[in-house]
Amino acid sequence: MDTYHDDKYFMTFDSTVKMSDAIAIEANNLTKVYRDSIRAVDGISFSVRQGEIFGLLGPNGAGKTTTIKMIITLTKATSGTLHVFGIDVFKSPETVREMLGYVPQSISVDTDLTAYENLLIFSKLSYVNKKERNERIRNALEYMDLSSRADDIVKRYSGGMMRRLEIAQALVNRPKILLLDEPSIGLDPSSKKQVWKNIKQLNQEFGTTILITTHDMGEADELCDRIAIMSEGKIAILGTPLDLKRDVGGDIVTVNLAFTPPIMSLPKEIGNIVHNNEKSIQILTTNGEEAIPLIADFFRSHEIRVESISINKANLDDVFMKYAKRRLGDEMYKATRNTRRDFARRAR
């Protein structure tokens, strides 16, 4: 049963309720087709447990943001079902919206206002009781470490502070589920760690169910209890970060060559090429140390000089490469650059 702390404004849950005892979000065969016949989301099914941090991981165009938009009732599904705590999202959108907090990827706060003024406007739009507004706003700002800057104009904030203010804003209406679209994209490493800390704190201290979309493999690995990797509107694989990395199996051997080799395949006993970037090749192999001499001999036999070889354990990027046949590095760079420009523009 839902309860409220007397000394906190956040919603929390009875301690007898475990993460697996209730389903916060459940999608079955969820599909979204736009007028130009593009299947943005293509028959996905997944569930988010109450009290967990769940990640939707994938590149631009994978369907992550469209999925979020259906959950927060900004767009309707073409087919399939979607429930939030058992309530049909499409039949009872107003009821569902009252349970949700949402932080979009693009900056949504008004940088010409103070932090307090931003939260005040949002609390009015969310129909927060007039007697409770001030306390909720002050508690939210305190929780996100922004109390000392509550009366400062937001354009004077750093990008990380703007993002934390957006999370504070989303918390004003006491959401049971917090949805974050690329929460730390464009932030410097220090600000990113602070946002991650706040997200984990919300989840651990108050049992807030959190759904995150991200390009960032490190973010997904750091924050998420479970991850669904999306590609071309479908869920390619779903599991815990540890299980997904184990599923890849073995080691990743990176081979840097003197020149770009012709298209080739490796003998099965060596491993499989999972990424080929001209002179740099990544090979998935069962045992990296044992494979290195075989790899060196293979390229030597083809008269291709090896300049260096290194070994790394499989990570989520390797998982994504296995199931989606692509890497996220280039798209992550572009998305980060665009968001940083947005932060800079808003801070003028």
Side-chain angles (χ1 to χ4, degrees):
M1 182 176 179
D2 301 338
T3 60
Y4 289 94
H5 278 300
D6 291 336
D7 59 339
K8 300 283 187 179
Y9 97 101
F10 299 101
M11 176 170 284
T12 186
F13 302 97
D14 189 284
S15 60
T16 60
V17 177
K18 299 183 184 299
M19 185 171 68
S20 59
D21 289 339
I23 300 299
I25 301 172
E26 185 168 21
N28 286 298
N29 200 30
L30 194 63
T31 300
K32 178 64 179 180
V33 182
Y34 289 106
R35 290 181 180 178
D36 49 7
S37 299
I38 294 176
R39 300 179 75 85
V41 175
D42 193 3
I44 64 172
S45 297
F46 68 94
S47 62
V48 179
R49 301 166 188 155
Q50 177 178 297
E52 79 171 329
I53 301 179
F54 186 91
L56 290 176
L57 182 64
N60 288 331
K64 309 185 305 297
T65 298
T66 300
T67 301
I68 288 276
K69 286 182 177 180
M70 286 189 280
I71 295 171
I72 64 176
T73 75
L74 285 182
T75 188
K76 288 187 176 181
T78 304
S79 61
T81 61
L82 182 60
H83 292 83
V84 170
F85 286 107
I87 298 172
D88 190 311
V89 171
F90 309 121
K91 290 182 180 179
S92 304
E94 292 183 1
T95 303
V96 169
R97 281 196 293 270
E98 291 176 356
M99 295 189 284
L100 306 179
Y102 172 56
V103 178
Q105 179 178 337
S106 58
I107 304 303
S108 59
V109 290
D110 190 327
T111 55
D112 290 322
L113 301 177
T114 67
Y116 182 88
E117 288 168 341
N118 269 280
L119 268 62
L120 179 62
I121 290 172
F122 188 84
S123 69
K124 291 179 179 180
L125 292 174
S126 301
Y127 301 105
V128 174
N129 187 291
K130 187 176 181 179
K131 295 180 179 179
E132 299 179 15
R133 285 176 195 162
N134 188 64
E135 182 181 359
R136 289 197 191 186
I137 291 168
R138 294 299 181 188
N139 284 333
L141 290 170
E142 180 181 356
Y143 195 78
M144 299 307 293
D145 300 316
L146 293 172
S147 291
S148 63
R149 303 289 299 274
D151 298 318
D152 288 358
I153 300 296
V154 174
K155 66 173 60 177
R156 298 172 186 165
Y157 279 19
S158 66
M161 291 174 68
M162 288 185 193
R163 189 62 82 200
R164 281 154 48 204
L165 178 61
E166 290 182 306
I167 296 175
Q169 180 174 269
L171 295 174
V172 167
N173 68 335
R174 295 178 175 172
K176 297 176 74 171
I177 303 173
L178 182 61
L179 299 101
L180 306 172
D181 196 356
E182 304 284 357
S184 69
I185 194 167
L187 302 183
D188 62 81
S190 177
S191 297
K192 179 178 290 190
K193 287 183 180 179
Q194 181 63 45
V195 169
W196 288 357
K197 176 185 175 182
N198 292 135
I199 291 170
K200 287 191 285 189
Q201 193 173 3
L202 278 169
N203 175 255
Q204 293 167 3
E205 292 189 8
F206 303 104
T208 308
T209 303
I210 300 174
L211 191 152
I212 293 173
T213 72
T214 183
H215 282 82
D216 190 333
M217 299 294 179
E219 180 165 82
D221 208 356
E222 175 73 19
L223 296 178
C224 297
D225 298 304
R226 291 187 302 141
I227 295 166
I229 292 180
M230 294 191 70
S231 179
E232 298 180 349
K234 296 180 180 293
I235 291 179
I237 188 71
L238 191 157
T240 69
L242 182 59
D243 286 344
L244 294 180
K245 287 182 284 187
R246 284 175 175 168
D247 183 69
V248 172
D251 301 325
I252 300 295
V253 177
T254 300
V255 185
N256 294 309
L257 306 172
F259 59 87
T260 303
I263 297 175
M264 58 178 63
S265 59
L266 297 174
K268 290 183 178 179
E269 61 269 21
I270 294 180
N272 299 312
I273 296 176
V274 294
H275 186 57
N276 189 338
N277 184 18
E278 297 183 346
K279 294 189 291 183
S280 181
I281 294 175
Q282 291 184 327
I283 300 166
L284 175 62
T285 184
T286 304
N287 187 309
E289 293 183 1
E290 293 180 0
I292 282 179
L294 300 176
I295 292 170
D297 289 343
F298 173 81
F299 286 109
R300 190 179 299 114
S301 69
H302 287 78
E303 298 182 345
I304 300 172
R305 182 163 60 87
V306 175
E307 294 190 334
S308 66
I309 298 181
S310 60
I311 305 174
N312 291 290
K313 294 297 181 182
N315 56 34
L316 287 178
D317 200 20
D318 301 313
V319 176
F320 193 84
M321 183 65 203
K322 177 178 179 180
Y323 288 100
K325 309 303 180 187
R326 61 197 295 187
R327 292 200 181 275
L328 291 176
D330 292 341
E331 293 193 36
M332 182 65 187
Y333 169 76
K334 293 176 183 177
T336 299
R337 181 187 59 192
N338 291 339
T339 303
R340 283 178 176 167
R341 287 176 177 172
D342 193 19
F343 282 134
R345 181 175 58 81
R346 296 298 188 104
R348 289 175 182 172

